[in-house]
Amino acid sequence: MNDSKLFVFLICLLAQFFLSFSASDLVNSFESVPDLEKSMYMAIDGYPCVRLLNLSGEIGCSNPGRANIIAPVTRFKTENKLAEPSALLVSVDQFEDLFARLSIDADFSRHVVGVLVESGSQLQNGLKGFSPDKKFPQAEFAPYQSGKFEWNPTGSGLMWKAYNFPVFLLSNSSTLALQEIALRNEKRKKSSTVDVADFDLVMQTTKSGTRDSESCLREQTCLPLGGYSVWSALPPIIASSSKKAKPMILTVASMDAASLFRDASIGADSPISGLISLLAVVDALSRVDGLGDLDKQLVFAVFTGEAWGYLGSRRFLLELDQHSDAVSGLDLALIEMVLEIGSVGKGFTQDDNTFFAHSTKESATNGTLSALKDALGSLKTRSIKISRASKSNPGLPPSSLMSFLKKNPETSGVVLEDFDAAFTNKFYHSHLDDLSANINSSAIVAAASIVARSLYILASDKKEIKNSVLNTININASLVEELLGCLLSCEPGFTCELVNRYIAPSTSCPSHYVGVVLGEPSSQPYLGNVGDVSRFVWNFLADKTAIPSKNMSSTCPKGCSGNGEMCVKAETDGKGVCVISTTRYVPAYSTRLKYESETWEVLPHNSSDAMGEADPVWTESNWDTIRLRVYTVQDTGFDLLVLLLGITVTVMSYIIIVISKAFITKALKRD
């Protein structure tokens, strides 16, 4: 009888044990492996710092080896003493403090295996400044010797160093999630669980051991930085025209920005405010009659790659030397002067509405400065001023005009900026140089108004111009506002009506990082290899500078075969419109690179290339995936306890089976 009771008790115990597990399984049932993965892992939105290379080494970030980095999330505090490898969550205002400590505290740095940076959008107004670029950006390319001058006083230079651990900038939503996780970990110091960050930032150059541009290009583990610049003539330059070529006035701006974080390169003030101003100038002048009767030809160029060794402007000048198809219709000898629209988005600050004209040589640019002041005078406003930049400045600020001056020291040129001796943009080349707090649309409209009217004055070549004529040249302020929303914000971003009128964008959120050169560089590239911003600028300029084609009913683009004809807006509906325009793509990449047989080759320095010796030849490492996620893990002590419990259950199960077997055998013998 006692044996029977023992048997029933053991059977009930086992049934209860297994039922508890099956109930748990029922509650946590999943339809697929992805469902299970989603319940275990939280994907984190962010912007990675990636590995870049040059001829002498590396900068940027990467996992140190081939494996993912997994570490508990810990809030950085100045008094932190880390006892284990950790992923540090840091606010923007403590970012430079963290990296300063990493450079001097070896024991601390040994335990930092990843960094998570809070978005910092709420801290912008309280920050004194945050710029990871140098105090004199790209000083090695300056046409003068004054490398210690501080154009960028808030610059830390952090983006030009190499870090053998992953660094991610978090989105606003991910910042909140990681703050909760770090706080939870802090409270769980005696708990058996901890939340960890899993960094997948493995770079191909790290895996292959190719640690500079020359070796990684040879092994095809990287690609050159670059893209496509765009230029356009207003009115179009007809190649077969028997008229004598006119002197040219070249107006330029940049379309690429930089940041420590690859896809968070917004560049609202520097340089996109200048780009928007240029586009507004072209729009305004396109509505003016009789431009073809002026004495000089207006040409507009928008360069990319300027943040990485002036790739666009230097390649543009090389293409002019080589008389390539990309610059057909242009002649370097005919470019009489260069007017660059730089950072103008902060021209209206603290009741000081002043723009500064930085010039190459005072005697060579007096006419341009006079035209700028005459244009300002025609606006009949006392609230806006134009001043010549201080003579105590060593020369031009960092700008595309430096490329022209290096090419020809006698170049006549002016850069219009919102600063005199130091950047007013305290977030230069950082993710905080965005639309929310760093630019003023009225300043962009004012700069565009001055430039548009001054170009008309300069193209008229000293002829008296009545104010009534200049008063017909007006900037469309609504267009400027629309461009701000399209080019500097995710809402609407590239989904805005203006952009979608011209192209089918690949993404909605704009980023102005230069990117890499895909495929063979060409003046007629495969459009899949051209970035959204370049394609939009090309279509916008081609449309605004065009004159109607006689082949209005022709199939586009195949039917656009007449002299100077091209197809615009073809991406939107597959049809497009035939127009007559002189608008071209110009490849933008290092002048020391050559593409041949589907591979890139680094060329030796050419003495005729004034900037070639200083050219770092920037490349970006390839990668398979970039991913950041967080999940909860048990500590090893708890895992050992679970193992012991498992062994105990197994032993108990074995004993129960043996006893049950003996009981059943005994019962059968009785029968």
Side-chain angles (χ1 to χ4, degrees), residues 249 285 294-296 298 367-368 370-378 450-467 470 473:
I249 299 170
L285 290 174
L294 298 179
D295 295 317
K296 296 178 183 178
L298 297 178
T368 306
S370 295
L372 289 167
K373 289 183 177 180
D374 289 345
L376 177 59
S378 72
I450 294 166
V451 170
R453 295 188 179 195
S454 64
L455 287 176
Y456 190 91
I457 293 168
L458 289 167
S460 301
D461 198 20
K462 299 179 182 178
K463 289 179 182 175
E464 260 191 52
I465 302 170
K466 295 179 180 178
N467 272 351
L470 292 179
I473 304 173

Side-chain angles (χ1 to χ4, degrees), residues 76-302:
F76 169 68
K77 297 174 183 176
T78 52
E79 68 276 8
N80 271 106
K81 288 186 178 179
L82 303 176
E84 61 178 344
S86 303
L88 293 186
L89 176 66
V90 62
S91 61
V92 172
D93 57 339
Q94 289 188 307
F95 186 82
E96 291 182 13
D97 294 336
L98 168 60
F99 278 79
R101 185 172 173 188
L102 287 171
S103 66
I104 60 174
D105 189 338
D107 183 62
F108 177 76
S109 63
R110 189 167 62 249
H111 289 100
V112 177
V113 296
V115 174
L116 301 161
V117 185
E118 296 174 356
S119 62
S121 55
Q122 298 85 8
L123 298 174
Q124 274 171 296
N125 292 330
L127 285 173
K128 291 182 179 178
F130 179 78
S131 172
D133 208 335
K134 297 175 182 177
K135 292 187 183 299
F136 189 150
Q138 305 195 88
E140 61 273 24
F141 293 101
Y144 51 85
Q145 297 296 320
S146 191
K148 293 184 179 180
F149 189 82
E150 295 187 3
W151 289 107
N152 183 29
T154 60
S156 64
L158 289 174
M159 66 182 281
W160 301 103
K161 297 178 181 178
Y163 306 103
N164 289 318
F165 51 81
V167 183
F168 274 78
L169 171 68
L170 303 172
S171 66
N172 288 333
S173 59
S174 293
T175 293
L176 296 174
L178 266 296
Q179 285 172 341
E180 288 182 15
I181 287 168
L183 185 61
R184 199 157 61 226
N185 279 347
E186 198 171 332
K187 292 178 179 178
R188 282 178 176 172
K189 285 184 178 177
K190 295 183 180 179
S191 173
S192 60
T193 61
V194 65
D195 289 322
V196 298
D198 180 353
F199 298 89
D200 186 355
L201 192 70
V202 179
M203 298 284 112
Q204 289 289 344
T205 52
T206 303
K207 290 167 68 175
S208 65
T210 48
R211 303 286 185 172
D212 60 70
S213 288
E214 192 159 13
S215 61
C216 74
L217 287 172
R218 185 170 56 248
E219 297 299 323
Q220 299 185 14
T221 58
C222 66
L223 286 170
L225 292 193
Y228 285 89
S229 302
V230 179
W231 73 270
S232 187
L234 179 66
I237 301 169
I238 308 301
S240 61
S241 174
S242 58
K243 293 181 181 179
K244 183 182 177 182
K246 298 177 182 180
M248 297 177 177
I249 299 170
L250 178 63
T251 307
V252 305
S254 300
M255 70 170 90
D256 75 295
S259 166
L260 182 63
F261 307 101
R262 185 187 192 275
D263 297 315
S265 302
I266 308 301
D269 184 42
S270 308
I272 303 304
S273 64
L275 167 63
I276 292 173
S277 183
L278 182 144
L279 297 179
V281 167
V282 174
D283 172 69
L285 290 174
S286 70
R287 299 192 298 271
V288 176
D289 294 329
L291 289 181
D293 299 326
L294 298 179
D295 295 317
K296 296 178 183 178
Q297 173 72 50
L298 297 178
V299 179
F300 299 88
V302 181

Side-chain angles (χ1 to χ4, degrees), residues 3 108 161 220 227 330 382 391 547 573 666:
D3 288 345
F108 177 76
K161 297 178 181 178
Q220 299 185 14
L330 293 183
R382 294 183 179 181
K391 291 182 180 180
I547 55 177
D573 58 6
K666 189 175 181 180

Side-chain angles (χ1 to χ4, degrees), residues 374-423:
D374 289 345
L376 177 59
S378 72
L379 293 174
K380 295 180 181 178
T381 175
R382 294 183 179 181
S383 62
I384 306 171
K385 299 175 184 176
I386 288 186
S387 295
R388 188 188 284 273
S390 173
K391 291 182 180 180
S392 62
N393 291 347
L396 293 173
S399 56
S400 301
L401 188 53
M402 284 183 169
S403 298
F404 289 85
L405 204 59
K406 274 277 194 177
K407 176 74 176 174
N408 178 10
E410 300 303 315
T411 300
S412 172
V414 170
V415 187
L416 191 67
E417 301 276 13
D418 56 19
F419 62 87
D420 183 6
F423 296 167

Side-chain angles (χ1 to χ4, degrees), residues 453-567:
R453 295 188 179 195
S454 64
L455 287 176
Y456 190 91
I457 293 168
L458 289 167
S460 301
D461 198 20
K462 299 179 182 178
K463 289 179 182 175
E464 260 191 52
I465 302 170
K466 295 179 180 178
N467 272 351
S468 58
V469 176
L470 292 179
N471 288 338
T472 64
I473 304 173
N474 295 300
I475 297 300
N476 183 347
S478 297
L479 173 64
V480 170
E481 291 288 351
E482 193 172 6
L483 285 166
L484 288 171
C486 296
L487 298 179
L488 294 174
S489 170
C490 287
E491 295 178 3
F494 286 154
T495 61
C496 72
E497 192 275 332
L498 176 63
V499 169
N500 282 268
R501 196 185 305 161
Y502 291 108
I503 66 167
S506 60
T507 182
S508 59
C509 281
S511 173
H512 300 287
Y513 175 68
V514 61
V516 294
V517 183
L518 299 172
E520 182 175 9
S522 168
S523 60
Q524 295 181 312
Y526 167 61
L527 293 182
N529 293 340
V530 183
D532 288 341
V533 180
S534 292
R535 296 199 325 279
F536 168 69
V537 170
W538 186 94
N539 277 274
F540 183 94
L541 292 180
D543 181 38
K544 295 296 181 181
T545 62
I547 55 177
S549 169
K550 294 177 182 178
N551 299 327
M552 295 296 288
S553 60
S554 299
T555 305
C556 185
K558 291 181 180 178
C560 299
S561 56
N563 187 23
E565 287 185 342
M566 54 183 55
C567 183

